Amino acid sequence: HDQILSATEQAPSVGTKSWGRRFTVTKYLPRSASYGKFNDGLTARRNGDYARAVAAFQLVLNSNPAPDLQQEAQYRLGEADWLNNDDTRAITALNAYLQANPNGARVPESRYLLADAYRVKKDYPNALEQLRLYRGLTQTLAGDTDAAIADVMILAGDATSALAQYDRALQDMTMA
């Protein structure tokens, strides 16, 4: 059967959420009609109808899909919950994705979204853990990630560590 990750990729659009971080929203056109509900979820998400996207991705997961579709639908469910500002559900869905797919293609993004959801819930230890894991997985925007870690340290009341982390962020930004 078709691989969802080998779907036709279109030009990404850009949005912002969280610390002002820019994130890309990649649009996929499934090659098979069996991915119709998944495509409905992507379309709803792209159109900003996050509640409808959540419902569509949940329907996909409830239908016992092929493993590639299950993996992508689980990530997209967490992402849609996060975009819908339902941080509790996002945490549950993204942790489920990470547990089932510890080496999955969406692990870095999942870690970042989890960090933001935990930050919003004022669960600073878990937010820091996820940001540090994210930082270890990708060097993309390392200075921004280091600054986000420092921001959470400030929120957690650890100004001394935050200052050292901001210094690291500045060093990372000058090395880019």
Side-chain angles (χ1 to χ4, degrees), residues 27-47:
K27 304 170 187 174
Y28 293 95
L29 295 178
R31 296 180 181 184
S32 166
S34 66
Y35 291 94
K37 277 294 173 202
F38 182 82
N39 195 41
D40 290 347
L42 290 178
T43 300
R45 182 175 98 333
R46 188 171 46 248
N47 292 332

Side-chain angles (χ1 to χ4, degrees), residues 16-120:
T16 59
K17 189 175 185 304
S18 177
W19 292 278
R21 168 80 52 90
R22 295 168 62 91
F23 65 94
T24 57
V25 178
T26 305
K27 304 170 187 174
Y28 293 95
L29 295 178
R31 296 180 181 184
S32 166
S34 66
Y35 291 94
K37 277 294 173 202
F38 182 82
N39 195 41
D40 290 347
L42 290 178
T43 300
R45 182 175 98 333
R46 188 171 46 248
N47 292 332
D49 189 351
Y50 305 126
R52 196 171 122 233
V54 166
F57 295 133
Q58 191 61 62
L59 279 172
V60 171
L61 290 170
N62 292 345
S63 70
N64 195 23
D68 60 324
L69 183 58
Q70 166 140 19
Q71 183 176 352
E72 189 68 6
Q74 184 66 56
Y75 167 75
R76 294 296 181 174
L77 175 63
E79 178 195 47
D81 282 326
W82 178 77
L83 289 167
N84 201 36
N85 295 313
D86 191 340
D87 296 300
T88 300
R89 285 180 50 98
I91 289 167
T92 300
L94 292 166
N95 275 321
Y97 170 83
L98 289 169
Q99 186 173 359
N101 307 286
N103 299 312
R106 302 285 188 184
V107 167
E109 298 95 332
S110 296
R111 298 272 182 217
Y112 183 80
L113 298 180
L114 267 172
D116 188 58
Y118 281 127
R119 178 192 60 84
V120 169

Side-chain angles (χ1 to χ4, degrees), residues 120-156:
V120 169
K121 301 287 286 176
K122 298 182 181 186
D123 183 347
Y124 303 128
N126 277 319
L128 286 170
E129 177 186 5
Q130 294 303 322
L131 280 171
R132 287 179 178 132
L133 289 168
Y134 172 77
R135 173 71 168 79
L137 292 171
T138 179
Q139 293 301 307
T140 304
L141 300 172
D144 288 350
T145 303
D146 286 333
I149 291 169
D151 291 346
V152 174
M153 288 173 168
I154 290 287
L155 292 170

